[in-house]
């Protein structure tokens, strides 16, 4: 087996010299300002070591990766009842698509497409004010990242709100089908803010530990969720974590992962490592070009694909 520190360094060096980097997300104006020439990687292993390279300590907008954390909290709150509100099948559609919602009567396909994540925030809101729910989400992120500096970028949240016509449409559409219990503005407010959480690759790799290590924080003896729940969240990440690019990501990388339009990807190599990569250039599905390529190379070099080989 090659040395992980060498593999990580070599991948970062190869990514630095790549010309084809995709395009930064432009539909959220604040994200369009992020320079394209950045790449970071952080890998936290079972024996408690952290390997980083490139821009691993630069904070970026985690965007849809936050949906993994809100899903974890909603499952903690209502358990399997969550599946009455949101499905668990890949959508095969873009993350902000509305077409399936009509066929399926306001029940989103899975918790990672935008409609599904908005439904999850609605579940978290039951009996609470938006401010309290946002506080709960941020506290959870800080706890699993073991870092109290994890914060929300208010500029990104505002930028997303003023251009959030599609998300507003999705939330109203669900409300029309009586699939939203709280005011639409409350669910959207929480959603825009949790998408605007910023983390570095190092923080994100720390935050993914509970998914990589059967619900526990290795070395700490702390159980965040049950191993069964971690396994199920990983299954959803594998099948739905990259939207209509999920099949291709499974084919190329073979690991559960969740992408965000900020260019980050959180990936789980079960019992081996929690991995975060970031590069802001995206492919047409909204997934990081260099991030996916780096993960493909990492999984191959370390033989980490869940499918073997
Ligand atoms: O709602 C949105 O469009 C963004 N806040 C999140 C989208 C996203 O990250 C999709 N991921 N690739």
């Amino acid at each position: 087996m090659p040395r992980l520190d060498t593999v990580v360094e070599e991948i970062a060096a190869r990514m630095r010299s790549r010309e084809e980097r995709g395009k930064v997300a432009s539909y959220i104006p604040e994200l369009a300002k992020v320079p394209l020439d950045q790449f970071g990687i952080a890998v936290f292993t079972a024996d408690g070591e952290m390997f980083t390279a490139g821009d691993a300590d630069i904070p970026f907008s985690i965007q849809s990766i936050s949906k993994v954390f809100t899903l974890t909290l909603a499952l903690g709150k209502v358990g399997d009842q969550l599946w009455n509100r949101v499905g668990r099948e890949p959508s095969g559609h873009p993350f902000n698509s509305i077409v399936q919602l009509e066929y399926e009567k306001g029940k989103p396909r899975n918790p990672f497409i935008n409609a599904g994540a908005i439904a999850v925030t609605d579940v978290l809101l039951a009996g609470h004010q938006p401010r309290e729910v946002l506080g709960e989400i941020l506290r959870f992120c800080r706890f699993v990242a073991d870092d109290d500096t994890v914060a929300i970028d208010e500029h990104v949240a505002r930028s997303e709100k003023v251009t959030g016509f599609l998300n507003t449409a999705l939330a109203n559409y669900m409300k029309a089908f009586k699939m939203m219990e709280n005011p639409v503005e409350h669910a959207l407010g929480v959603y825009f803010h949790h998408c605007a959480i910023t983390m570095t690759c190092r923080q994100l790799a720390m935050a993914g530990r509970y998914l990589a290590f059967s619900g526990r924080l290795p070395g700490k003896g702390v159980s965040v969720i049950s191993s069964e729940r971690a396994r199920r969240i990983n299954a959803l990440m594998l099948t739905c974590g990259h939207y209509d690019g999920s099949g291709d990501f499974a084919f190329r990388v073979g690991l559960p992962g969740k992408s965000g339009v900020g260019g980050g990807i959180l990936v789980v190599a079960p019992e081996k490592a929690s991995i975060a990569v970031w590069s802001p250039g995206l492919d047409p599905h909204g997934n990081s070009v260099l991030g996916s390529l780096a993960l493909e190379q990492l999984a191959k070099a370390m033989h980490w694909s869940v499918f073997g080989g």
Side-chain angles (χ1 to χ4, degrees):
M1 190 73 72
R3 284 176 55 121
L4 183 54
D5 54 351
T6 317
V7 169
V8 166
E9 283 296 343
E10 285 174 358
I11 288 172
R14 281 199 292 273
M15 294 306 124
R16 257 194 297 278
S17 62
R18 291 287 295 199
E19 306 250 312
E20 173 41 43
R21 290 173 169 252
K23 291 197 173 77
V24 290
S26 55
Y27 76 104
I28 301 173
E30 274 303 304
L31 296 184
K33 297 178 184 168
V34 179
L36 191 58
D37 62 347
Q38 303 177 88
F39 172 83
I41 180 167
V43 183
F44 182 92
T45 61
D47 44 19
E49 283 190 279
M50 177 72 89
F51 299 92
T52 65
D55 302 310
D57 289 307
I58 296 185
F60 60 89
S61 190
I62 67 168
Q63 290 294 317
S64 287
I65 302 169
S66 61
K67 296 169 183 175
V68 174
F69 306 125
T70 53
L71 171 65
T72 304
L73 287 171
L75 285 169
K77 185 167 174 161
V78 299
D80 282 344
Q81 280 178 34
L82 185 71
W83 308 119
N84 299 327
R85 296 290 307 277
V86 60
R88 35 178 205 254
E89 290 294 344
S91 70
H93 284 278
F95 56 82
N96 52 12
S97 171
I98 201 165
V99 288
Q100 242 163 18
L101 264 187
E102 179 166 24
Y103 295 128
E104 296 176 3
K105 302 194 170 36
K107 181 176 176 181
R109 268 287 169 107
N110 68 65
F112 295 148
I113 51 173
N114 290 6
I118 294 166
V120 167
T121 58
D122 188 52
V123 168
L124 290 176
L125 274 164
H128 296 284
Q129 289 303 312
R131 200 178 312 116
E132 294 171 327
V133 176
L134 207 50
E136 185 191 3
I137 297 168
L138 194 56
R139 268 194 305 280
F140 181 74
C141 288
R142 288 173 172 170
F143 166 64
V144 287
D146 197 13
D147 192 330
D148 282 343
T149 67
V150 172
I152 292 173
D153 185 331
E154 282 295 336
H155 297 286
V156 173
R158 216 166 307 128
S159 182
E160 187 160 344
K161 185 175 178 200
V162 296
T163 55
F165 304 109
L166 266 176
N167 286 326
T168 307
L170 292 168
N172 279 309
Y173 213 71
M174 288 190 283
K175 188 84 176 170
F177 279 104
K178 304 206 179 336
M179 294 295 277
M180 293 279 284
E181 284 171 9
N182 298 279
V184 160
E185 321 69 83
H186 288 191
L188 287 170
V190 173
Y191 173 78
F192 292 144
H193 280 83
H194 76 62
C195 286
I197 291 172
T198 58
M199 285 194 196
T200 64
C201 287
R202 188 189 298 272
Q203 290 169 332
L204 190 57
M206 289 290 279
R209 290 173 302 166
Y210 73 100
L211 295 169
F213 303 108
S214 305
R216 307 180 77 83
L217 303 180
K220 294 216 162 192
V222 176
S223 174
V224 180
I225 53 173
S226 68
S227 60
E228 179 186 56
R229 186 156 289 163
R231 176 165 50 77
R232 288 175 158 184
I233 295 173
N234 289 341
L236 288 165
M237 288 169 72
L238 183 82
T239 51
C240 313
H242 285 71
Y243 314 104
D244 41 347
S246 297
D248 194 53
F249 189 82
F251 183 85
R252 289 172 58 197
V253 180
L255 292 169
K258 182 74 206 79
S259 69
V261 290
I265 308 177
L266 172 62
V267 165
V268 166
E271 307 306 334
K272 298 196 172 73
S274 168
I275 307 152
V277 292
W278 169 60
S279 181
L282 308 178
D283 67 17
H285 298 303
N287 302 318
S288 173
V289 169
L290 293 194
S292 309
L293 187 62
L295 290 165
E296 187 177 359
Q297 296 182 3
L298 178 67
K300 186 172 177 199
M302 301 307 295
H303 302 279
W304 277 351
S305 166
V306 294
F307 302 109

